[in-house]
């Protein structure tokens, strides 16, 4: 693995950005009346994930970084819950995109957990 010079070098941040892109792609197919409710919530939760990773990295202490990773993980679970709600409400036009995002969420959750352990040791 190469040297980490920036938060942008972190694989967890990169995967977070991928999830944001996928969420923005997904919500384009949601009903217009959801624009300011569930669509907005999904976007905000997804953006929170890499944003908190970046902010935690910038704080320069492992303890604080761990705290921001925990916030990021919370946003990840919030996002997953909102996706399940959207599916239950029948908002998905592209089922494969839903599955891809859930897989990305599961993978990122494992990555954040593993990375957090390295900060505590």
């Amino acid at each position: 693995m190469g040297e980490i010079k920036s938060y942008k070098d972190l694989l967890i941040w990169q995967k977070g950005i991928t999830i944001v892109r996928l969420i923005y792609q997904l919500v384009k197919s949601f009903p217009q009346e959801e624009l300011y409710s569930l669509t907005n919530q999904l976007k905000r939760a997804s953006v929170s994930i890499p944003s908190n990773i970046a902010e935690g990295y910038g704080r320069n202490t492992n303890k604080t970084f761990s705290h921001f990773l925990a916030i990021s993980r919370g946003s990840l679970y919030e996002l997953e819950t909102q996706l399940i709600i959207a599916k239950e409400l029948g908002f998905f036009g592209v089922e494969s995109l839903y599955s891809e995002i859930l897989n990305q969420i599961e993978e990122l959750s494992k990555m954040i957990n593993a990375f957090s352990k390295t900060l505590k040791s």
Side-chain angles (χ1 to χ4, degrees), residues 69-118:
L69 287 176
I71 294 169
S72 183
R73 186 175 32 246
S75 294
L76 192 63
Y77 295 152
E78 177 185 0
L79 178 65
E80 182 177 36
T81 299
Q82 292 164 355
L83 284 170
I84 292 167
I85 291 167
K87 180 166 176 39
E88 291 292 319
L89 294 173
F91 291 168
F92 288 99
V94 184
E95 188 72 29
S96 61
L97 189 52
Y98 170 76
S99 297
E100 181 182 352
I101 295 169
L102 286 182
N103 289 336
Q104 293 283 333
I105 287 171
E106 183 179 341
E107 189 176 323
L108 181 54
S109 177
K110 291 175 184 176
M111 290 170 71
I112 289 173
N113 289 337
F115 190 76
S116 291
K117 288 177 186 174
T118 67

Side-chain angles (χ1 to χ4, degrees), residues 56 59-69 116 118-121:
R59 296 294 178 108
N60 288 326
T61 69
N62 285 354
K63 183 178 179 181
T64 306
F65 196 5
S66 290
H67 173 73
F68 278 91
L69 287 176
S116 291
T118 67
L119 294 176
K120 292 175 183 171
S121 47

